[in-house]
Amino acid sequence: METNNYSDDVIGRARVQDTPELEAYYKELEALGAGALWTVANDIEPWEPRSSSVPMLWKYEDLRSLVLKSSELVTPEQAGRRVVYLVNDKRKDVSAAVGWLYTGIQVTRPGESTSAHRHKASALRFIMEGDKGYTVVDGNKIMLEVNDFVITPNSTWHEHGVEEGGQTCIWQDGLDIPLVNALEANDYAVYDGKQPLIAPVNHLPMSFDGNGIVPADLVWDKPYSPLFKYSWKKVYPALLEAAKVNEGNPFDGIIMRYSNPLTGGHVMQTMGASIQLLRAGEHTKAHKHTGSFVYQCAKGKGYSIINGKRFDWATRDIFCVPSWAWHEHVNLSETEDACLFSFNDLPVIEKLGLYQERAYDENNGYQITTN
């Protein structure tokens, strides 16, 4: 029968007590590049999933002026990509925001553009402000609007810019750089010049109208979504419609997953993304699951309780929920809905059979805050 007391003082766990003889033995093993498993077994095989990340909140109001200042200090060509990255206090060694996920805030002025490049790491964008921004992915130019979700899958040539006459654009970048680096599989290449456009502007997004129909003659053999942009002007009304006929998830409210329209699966092989709506005054119940999440408030204001600590957020604030951390969300408005965008590493977790979830059973499903 499985034990649930999580005590290491039980048969089946390592319980060897050190002796002078054993310590001498360990030194002999160490000299040969080896070790005794029982000295590390309980640490590397925890009773429950364990994250080395901590919950964090990055306030956009505090960061925005510094993000804009970067555009005065360096050019896109000097920096490659002009980004202020957000790093977890416990993941600085791998430049991760949480788990094996990276995130940052990129700024581009009117008339500026980056060099086209590609890498094995997958990337995504969530547009925060600005006008007439664009991205070009494998020759497909796509115009960007606030709260649009955009993907640049691994090994695709991509570049970004803002057209003359536009407004300075700021967006969140999410990448799996720490994961791909941990797997020792990353690379980087720079395109010689600008990519030639292979289709009309917004060709792929306009080919899918979001109502369950797809182009019958589209030939697509890539392992990621052909819908490089998911428009807020279509996504938000879909959330409102869903809220009319659904009670919603007890842990996440009305939550919709961005998907590959051809398969129904995640948008990319290693990162997924969702958008959720919290009704006015809604307070979801707490749960925890494997998989790391980075959130951005797309609309409204509220707070999340993560492992017993309250984090207050407003529009454009970014926060993270580490794997296996208790979390619940609250919309502070009694009249307006709130929306949270998030991206995650669930495609990897699910494909490896590592996903598990648990509801918070105490206090009717709500955590007691410690702050």
Side-chain angles (χ1 to χ4, degrees), residues 5 33 56 111 161 286 292 331:
N5 64 9
M56 290 190 64
S292 300
N331 179 1

Side-chain angles (χ1 to χ4, degrees), residues 54-73:
V54 293
M56 290 190 64
L57 170 72
W58 295 273
K59 300 294 291 183
Y60 188 60
E61 182 180 0
D62 297 335
L63 283 166
R64 184 177 183 274
S65 62
L66 292 173
V67 171
L68 289 172
K69 186 175 182 178
S70 73
S71 69
E72 302 170 2
L73 299 174

Side-chain angles (χ1 to χ4, degrees), residues 300-321:
K301 63 179 181 178
Y303 65 90
S304 297
I305 302 174
I306 309 171
N307 280 346
K309 184 177 179 181
R310 174 169 166 163
F311 294 84
D312 284 83
W313 40 257
T315 304
R316 301 295 160 237
D317 290 346
I318 296 170
F319 64 97
C320 70
V321 175

Side-chain angles (χ1 to χ4, degrees), residues 83-101:
V83 180
V84 172
Y85 76 101
L86 311 180
V87 63
N88 195 281
D89 285 344
K90 299 295 185 180
R91 302 293 285 160
K92 293 179 180 179
D93 57 328
V94 292
S95 302
V98 63
W100 296 101
L101 296 174

Side-chain angles (χ1 to χ4, degrees), residues 23 47 63 65 76 83 91 106 114 120 123 138 154 161-163 178 185 194 238 254 266 268 280 320 327 330 337:
E23 290 176 356
W47 288 102
L63 283 166
S65 62
V83 180
R91 302 293 285 160
Q106 184 167 172
T114 62
K120 280 295 184 293
D138 274 349
N154 75 344
V162 178
E163 293 186 341
K194 293 292 183 180
I254 301 297
H266 291 290
M268 293 184 288
C320 70
H327 58 283
V330 181
D337 59 55

Side-chain angles (χ1 to χ4, degrees), residues 3 37 48 57 74 95 139 145 161-162 164 169 183 189 202 214 225 244 266-267 318 320 333 352:
T3 180
L37 174 60
E48 287 189 303
L57 170 72
V74 295
S95 302
E145 297 180 82
V162 178
E164 295 284 359
C169 288
L183 295 172
N202 290 328
V214 299
S225 172
K244 294 177 182 178
H266 291 290
V267 292
I318 296 170
C320 70
S333 174
L352 296 178

Side-chain angles (χ1 to χ4, degrees), residues 7-117:
S7 169
D8 287 333
D9 191 22
V10 295
I11 294 176
R13 297 294 277 180
R15 300 181 295 158
V16 178
Q17 299 297 314
D18 282 350
T19 65
E21 185 179 15
L22 276 172
E23 290 176 356
Y25 172 67
Y26 299 152
K27 289 182 179 180
E28 288 186 76
L29 289 174
E30 184 179 3
L32 297 174
L37 174 60
W38 61 84
T39 63
V40 297
N42 294 348
D43 187 52
I44 67 174
E45 296 175 315
W47 288 102
E48 287 189 303
R50 184 172 60 200
S51 177
S52 58
S53 304
V54 293
M56 290 190 64
L57 170 72
W58 295 273
K59 300 294 291 183
Y60 188 60
E61 182 180 0
D62 297 335
L63 283 166
R64 184 177 183 274
S65 62
L66 292 173
V67 171
L68 289 172
K69 186 175 182 178
S70 73
S71 69
E72 302 170 2
L73 299 174
V74 295
T75 67
E77 288 304 322
Q78 289 172 329
R81 287 159 294 177
R82 192 168 52 210
V83 180
V84 172
Y85 76 101
L86 311 180
V87 63
N88 195 281
D89 285 344
K90 299 295 185 180
R91 302 293 285 160
K92 293 179 180 179
D93 57 328
V94 292
S95 302
V98 63
W100 296 101
L101 296 174
Y102 160 99
T103 198
I105 302 175
Q106 184 167 172
V107 59
T108 309
R109 290 178 164 185
E112 290 184 336
S113 63
T114 62
S115 297
H117 59 277

